[in-house]
Amino acid sequence: MATLALPTRAERDGDKQRRSVLKSNGALVAYVFILPYVVFFLAFRILPAIYAAVLSFAKYGLSGNVGFVGLDNYARLLADDLFWNSLRVTGVYTVLAIPLTVAISLAVATLCNRTLRGMSIYRTIFFLPVVTSPVMSGIIWVWIFSQNGPLTWFLNTLHLPAPAWLQSEIFVLPALAIVSAWSNFGYDMLILLAGMLAIPREYYEAAELDGTSGWQRFRHITLPLLKPALFFVVVLEIIRSFQVFDTIFVMTGGGPVRASYSLTFLIYDQGFGYFDFGYASAAGMVLLVITLVVSLAQRRLLGRSSS
């Protein structure tokens, strides 16, 4: 017969201590400070997601009449060439943007991981694109990629052909990937730099005594110990790439010939262009599922790497 295990005195004392902490004035103050964020998160994140999930099974337009249609919106998605094109565009953009952003972030983090005079100023400068408005960044980069912009002038100086970046079906996604790398590398740089600073200096000192080169130390010490931070940065960039909208809206509007028509732009276009909110919500649910799958994969990969 199974016996009921009674809690020990230490466990009872621990439970009493935790309950007293939860009821203390400090805990109440902490609850008051986090309450605005919780309310904001529920009002602008959770409730809209639930509402979108409900709308994905309905037909809803400007008339305001909601009609339940079951899985018809998802069946339309599977049969819609525009949806598959947006998914392909998003995938290609992700494949182009992530390696470029991670490579630049890792290189800049390595350069900033030095004890040089004025290094904090350089780190601040590298972080400035992160706090720059996406709309302003898009307008600036439209000028840079224009036929009268500095990039065209630089290529012509080197006697190299300057393509019409934003008007070309071939070059528009690489151009947007460059803008994404410029906008996001500062944030990723800080994450990677924090991971580098957490590596014990004794490892590098021992490697230097063994006569290893800088590349060998980076390859055999920095990269293996930086793996959790790299995994986090990669997954973060995957989520960003699948949710890209601002730069596409400002710079290309989904063109040319829908060569930059991403999944998020499809959601916007169907919802606020054609006012088919049910169909747009179904596409949004697909994007949500993709994001959740990537997040769960990231959690498993991080768990394996840490073990």
Side-chain angles (χ1 to χ4, degrees):
M1 180 181 295
T3 58
L4 180 62
L6 297 176
T8 63
R9 182 175 180 179
E11 292 174 345
R12 290 195 299 269
D13 293 341
D15 292 338
K16 291 180 181 179
Q17 185 177 3
R18 281 191 292 269
R19 286 195 294 269
S20 63
V21 169
L22 292 177
K23 295 179 181 179
S24 64
N25 293 331
L28 293 177
V29 172
Y31 293 149
V32 171
F33 275 104
I34 66 174
L35 182 61
Y37 176 79
V38 173
V39 173
F40 181 87
F41 186 79
L42 291 175
F44 295 99
R45 295 282 184 167
I46 301 300
L47 292 181
I50 296 175
Y51 187 57
V54 174
L55 283 184
S56 67
F57 298 101
K59 183 175 180 60
Y60 178 55
L62 283 178
S63 63
N65 298 324
V66 180
F68 182 74
V69 295
L71 297 175
D72 288 355
N73 288 326
Y74 293 96
R76 284 178 57 193
L77 279 177
L78 296 178
D80 191 356
D81 293 336
L82 190 60
F83 166 73
W84 291 108
N85 175 72
S86 65
L87 202 59
R88 179 190 62 81
V89 168
T90 305
V92 173
Y93 171 82
T94 302
V95 170
L96 293 174
I98 290 176
L100 183 61
T101 306
V102 174
I104 295 176
S105 304
L106 185 60
V108 176
T110 304
L111 292 175
C112 291
N113 188 24
R114 301 172 183 271
T115 55
L116 297 178
R117 187 177 181 180
M119 183 55 68
S120 59
I121 299 177
Y122 292 110
R123 294 173 183 173
T124 304
I125 294 174
F126 291 142
F127 191 77
L128 283 179
V130 179
V131 297
T132 304
S133 168
V135 175
M136 184 60 66
S137 300
I139 294 174
I140 293 173
W141 279 97
V142 167
W143 169 69
I144 292 175
F145 285 124
S146 66
Q147 294 300 312
N148 297 323
L151 182 59
T152 301
W153 173 84
F154 177 74
L155 292 176
N156 291 334
T157 303
L158 299 177
H159 302 286
L160 296 175
W165 295 90
L166 302 181
Q167 291 76 38
S168 171
E169 298 181 42
I170 299 176
F171 292 100
V172 62
L173 288 181
L176 292 173
I178 293 173
V179 177
S180 174
W182 178 83
S183 301
N184 299 326
F185 85 92
Y187 185 81
D188 298 339
M189 174 205 70
L190 287 184
I191 297 175
L192 296 176
L193 181 60
M196 292 179 181
L197 294 176
I199 300 175
R201 299 299 306 174
E202 291 79 4
Y203 296 163
Y204 295 103
E205 294 173 357
E208 288 178 4
L209 292 177
D210 292 337
T212 57
S213 62
W215 166 249
Q216 290 175 330
R217 293 193 295 271
F218 177 79
R219 178 182 177 185
H220 298 288
I221 298 177
T222 304
L223 281 182
L225 296 178
L226 201 62
K227 190 180 295 183
L230 277 173
F231 270 126
F232 178 78
V233 166
V234 169
V235 173
L236 185 65
E237 287 303 320
I238 291 175
I239 296 174
R240 283 176 177 170
S241 298
F242 272 98
Q243 296 179 348
V244 61
F245 174 77
D246 297 335
T247 54
I248 292 178
F249 181 80
V250 174
M251 297 180 65
T252 65
V257 199
R258 290 177 173 166
S260 61
Y261 198 82
S262 66
L263 187 55
T264 50
F265 203 90
L266 170 71
I267 298 171
Y268 166 80
D269 199 24
Q270 294 297 320
F272 298 98
Y274 298 97
F275 302 105
D276 194 350
F277 297 112
Y279 189 64
S281 298
M285 288 299 102
V286 173
L287 179 61
L288 177 62
V289 169
I290 293 174
T291 305
L292 288 177
V293 169
V294 171
S295 299
L296 292 175
Q298 172 251 358
R299 184 174 181 179
R300 294 197 63 179
L301 288 173
L302 284 177
R304 290 178 181 178
S305 62
S306 61
S307 61

